[in-house]
Amino acid sequence: MAAAAQAKAKANAGGPRPVRDGKWFLIHDSIFSEIDHEAVCDIHTEFLKDHPNSLKEIAEFTSIRLSDEQVNKYAHLIRISSYRWEDAKGVGKDGNEKKIPRNYLRYLDHIRERGQILWMDWMANIGVNVPAPTSIGYMGSLYAEHTVLGEWMLDLDKLPVAMSRAWIFQEMAYGQLDKEVMGGLFEQLRERGRSLINDIPIVDQPDRRHPIGVRRNMSDDAKALQSYVLGCARVAS
């Protein structure tokens, strides 16, 4: 992590914030010396330190610019975020300048634990002072050619909302999805299927809870649920 600290200190030499170009990604400082790169930006000190949506954890990360060759070299480590902005805040008189979301901590934890490289929309443009048209111009190929890490893959409860958003559906349709995380998603589905099997009663005769004796769950339904659970288990493994 000393190498990252030295690089960030050099990047913070002073002067006005430069306008940058190229493809920018985020890595944890613990793998900084292992990843070849073209340039460095201390996104915490330069942009996030005094931002209302700054998180203290971001100080342990560094923004790096990768060439096309380096992007290809580290394709197995790159994860492209797919998520819906939440609790967006900005700066300025009305708080409308340099707006960014707050729901990015889960991504930081995920790539830190796995030694991966993250691409996130605002981190690749406003966070490092790259004009938005630059990142918009290449982001389609990133989603098509690299592994997508959707927020809905990390939190099953976000799946219904994600599926209702056209751009998120496109992002998950273009490229491959993170296999490890998708396995975890299907394991969550499997557990919920088990809960349905265990919690939904089959009622043949009237009782205190069901005085009219309505059959809530037919045997065919139970078999369908069991098949669903087994299918999820197969995919998850």
Side-chain angles (χ1 to χ4, degrees), residues 21-178:
D21 60 7
K23 300 174 181 177
W24 288 81
F25 300 81
L26 194 76
I27 59 173
H28 189 257
D29 290 350
S30 61
I31 65 168
F32 180 84
S33 60
E34 303 171 15
I35 306 297
D36 297 332
H37 52 271
E38 290 188 324
V40 170
C41 172
D42 182 355
I43 191 172
H44 171 253
T45 300
E46 184 180 302
F47 176 72
L48 282 168
K49 186 177 180 180
D50 299 315
H51 197 284
N53 270 350
S54 177
L55 300 175
K56 65 180 187 300
E57 291 83 359
I58 198 71
E60 301 177 3
F61 292 79
T62 302
S63 290
I64 58 172
R65 188 179 71 197
L66 300 181
S67 66
D68 288 339
E69 292 76 14
Q70 290 166 341
V71 169
N72 291 332
K73 178 180 179 180
Y74 298 118
H76 63 292
L77 295 177
I78 291 175
R79 295 296 181 270
I80 313 300
S81 64
S82 175
Y83 68 113
R84 181 188 182 193
W85 281 28
E86 294 179 3
D87 193 23
K89 294 180 181 177
V91 298
K93 182 178 179 180
D94 299 320
N96 290 322
E97 299 176 23
K98 300 179 180 179
K99 273 192 172 183
I100 65 170
R102 192 170 182 81
N103 56 320
Y104 59 93
L105 178 58
R106 177 169 286 165
Y107 280 102
L108 300 185
D109 290 340
H110 187 88
I111 67 164
R112 174 182 54 78
E113 293 169 358
R114 293 162 177 79
Q116 294 174 340
I117 301 171
L118 177 67
W119 186 90
M120 181 170 279
D121 49 5
W122 65 267
M123 291 184 185
N125 50 67
I126 190 173
V128 292
N129 206 26
V130 169
T134 298
S135 56
I136 292 173
Y138 69 75
M139 65 185 295
S141 62
L142 279 185
Y143 281 101
E145 299 170 5
H146 296 277
T147 303
V148 174
L149 179 61
E151 185 182 37
W152 54 272
M153 296 158 62
L154 301 169
D155 184 350
L156 183 59
D157 291 331
K158 295 185 180 295
L159 181 57
V161 174
M163 293 300 292
S164 69
R165 305 289 170 175
W167 72 88
I168 293 182
F169 182 82
Q170 291 174 341
E171 290 167 357
M172 70 175 74
Y174 283 153
Q176 65 178 355
L177 304 178
D178 189 297

Side-chain angles (χ1 to χ4, degrees), residues 167-234:
W167 72 88
I168 293 182
F169 182 82
Q170 291 174 341
E171 290 167 357
M172 70 175 74
Y174 283 153
Q176 65 178 355
L177 304 178
D178 189 297
K179 293 180 180 179
E180 174 200 349
V181 182
M182 283 300 293
L185 175 69
F186 277 99
E187 184 59 35
Q188 292 182 59
L189 288 169
R190 182 187 184 191
E191 288 303 317
R192 295 199 181 187
R194 283 175 172 167
S195 297
L196 286 174
I197 292 174
N198 294 332
D199 295 342
I200 300 179
I202 296 178
V203 180
D204 290 308
Q205 300 297 326
D207 60 21
R208 186 174 61 182
R209 292 180 59 196
H210 309 92
I212 60 176
V214 177
R215 191 175 183 85
R216 292 292 187 91
N217 185 27
M218 302 298 289
S219 58
D220 288 344
D221 296 330
K223 290 178 180 178
L225 280 172
Q226 289 174 345
S227 297
Y228 169 79
V229 170
L230 292 173
C232 290
R234 185 175 182 83

